């Protein structure tokens, strides 16, 4: 079994994030960048299967600038066997469409039985890249899984719905995306930190993937941010003092806000 895990490096959520007023893009020059937590949970899903199935290979895959190496190195310390990074200057500021087509090419080049991703990144919050990767690969996609069961030739899981949950499954190869309920990511141990330094990290360009940016990127188009504005300051909430009818006021508030 060869499992590829999509990894993304994002700004630390503990720090304030700002948009560049000129481009509308997220300003990544300030503050610390870290491996996205939801991708670490996706990696944990793969590692748990590897722990109980000898011969399983787990590969972390990412696209981005040189700094992305940091997130991939952490994946290696957690237990991934190797890593692949797509690095190409022409991909700077890539939107979800460009990201998906490149990641699909990268995982296809690497070879796989299963691709695991987080359901959505903590910076863009688009939640569409795993589905788009699956579409480019022509494979089934199981999305937003709260639990995952991997066998030799199938993958199954439970997915939450508005009225409960449903069981879904697909034959391998397939692409899945998981929620924060799927697994609690492990901490790298001392052995993992030491062995990670000897694990391979392959850096690929678009040319290595057989893709010519001069002809490929114009065909994909590009998302353009036409305007940005700061989020307005939060206003003080309504305070209800219980004089005997607080329950009624609370119920009216929830109904008015369509929360029940």
């Amino acid at each position: 079994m060869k499992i590829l895990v999509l990894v993304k490096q994002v700004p630390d959520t503990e720090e304030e994030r700002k948009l560049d007023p000129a481009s509308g893009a997220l300003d990544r020059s300030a503050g610390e960048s870290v491996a996205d937590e939801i991708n670490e949970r996706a990696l944990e899903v793969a590692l748990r299967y590897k722990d109980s199935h000898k011969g399983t290979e787990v590969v972390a895959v990412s696209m981005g600038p040189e700094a992305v190496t940091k997130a991939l190195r952490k994946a290696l310390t957690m237990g991934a066997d190797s890593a692949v990074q797509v690095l190409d200057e022409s991909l700077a500021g890539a939107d979800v469409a460009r990201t998906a087509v490149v990641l699909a090419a990268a995982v296809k080049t690497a070879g796989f039985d299963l691709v695991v991703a987080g359901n959505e990144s903590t910076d863009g919050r688009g939640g569409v890249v795993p589905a788009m990767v699956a579409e480019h690969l022509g494979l089934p996609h199981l999305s937003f899984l709260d639990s995952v069961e991997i066998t030799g030739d199938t993958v199954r899981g439970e997915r939450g719905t508005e009225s409960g949950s449903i069981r879904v499954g697909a034959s391998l190869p397939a692409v899945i995306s998981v929620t924060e309920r799927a697994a609690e990511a492990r901490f790298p141990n001392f052995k993992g930190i030491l062995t990670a330094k000897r694990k391979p990290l392959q850096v690929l360009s678009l040319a290595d993937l057989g893709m010519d940016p001069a002809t490929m990127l114009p065909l994909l188009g590009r998302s353009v941010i036409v305007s940005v504005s700061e989020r307005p300051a939060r206003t003080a909430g309504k305070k209800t003092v219980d004089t005997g009818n607080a329950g009624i006021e609370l119920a009216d508030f929830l109904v008015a806000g369509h929360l029940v």
Side-chain angles (χ1 to χ4, degrees):
M1 176 76 71
K2 186 174 184 179
I3 305 176
L4 270 57
V5 181
L6 303 185
V7 175
K8 186 177 184 181
Q9 187 157 288
V10 298
D12 192 343
T13 55
E14 295 293 328
E15 300 180 8
E16 184 179 357
R17 289 170 285 180
K18 295 182 178 180
L19 298 178
D20 183 332
S23 64
L26 182 65
D27 183 0
R28 299 179 184 272
S29 62
E32 186 74 9
S33 291
V34 297
D36 200 340
E37 181 184 353
I38 191 63
N39 299 145
E40 292 182 352
R41 292 175 182 267
L43 176 60
E44 180 64 27
V45 169
L47 293 177
R48 289 185 183 182
Y49 181 83
K50 176 187 173 183
D51 289 342
S52 57
H53 294 78
K54 280 189 175 182
T56 300
E57 181 183 1
V58 176
V59 183
V61 181
S62 187
M63 183 191 98
E66 292 183 6
V68 169
T69 302
K70 178 182 176 182
L72 291 174
R73 286 295 179 192
K74 184 174 183 182
L76 295 176
T77 65
M78 291 175 64
D81 299 291
S82 62
V84 175
Q85 177 185 3
V86 181
L87 174 62
D88 200 293
E89 292 183 358
S90 62
L91 294 174
D95 58 10
V96 292
R98 296 187 178 194
T99 298
V101 73
V102 173
L103 287 176
V107 299
K108 187 174 183 180
T109 299
F112 64 94
D113 296 295
L114 177 66
V115 177
V116 187
N119 60 329
E120 60 180 8
S121 63
T122 55
D123 55 354
R125 302 298 295 271
V128 296
V129 169
M132 296 174 78
V133 169
E135 182 70 15
H136 284 299
L137 296 173
L139 295 177
H141 173 226
L142 307 182
S143 62
F144 290 80
L145 296 183
D146 294 331
S147 64
V148 179
E149 301 169 16
I150 306 170
T151 66
D153 55 1
T154 64
V155 58
R156 297 184 178 88
E158 190 171 281
R159 188 184 195 277
T161 68
E162 293 182 357
S163 57
S165 62
I166 57 174
R167 296 280 299 172
V168 294
S171 298
L172 297 181
V175 179
I176 66 172
S177 60
V178 301
T179 71
E180 59 183 10
R181 296 182 179 180
E184 183 74 30
R186 66 188 65 184
F187 289 102
N189 56 35
F190 185 67
K191 180 181 178 181
I193 294 172
L194 291 179
T195 57
K197 298 178 181 179
R198 300 191 297 269
K199 294 178 179 178
L201 195 164
Q202 185 181 19
V203 180
L204 302 174
S205 65
L206 288 181
D208 294 326
L209 298 176
M211 308 172 80
D212 181 3
T215 57
M216 177 201 75
L217 297 182
L219 293 175
L220 290 175
R222 189 178 183 89
S223 299
V224 178
I225 300 174
V226 296
S227 65
V228 296
S229 60
E230 291 189 10
R231 182 172 57 186
R234 295 182 63 179
T235 57
K238 180 181 178 181
K239 186 175 182 179
T240 299
V241 179
D242 189 3
T243 58
N245 63 342
I248 296 175
E249 290 189 30
L250 178 59
D252 291 342
F253 172 80
L254 293 175
V255 170
H258 301 287
L259 301 175
V260 294

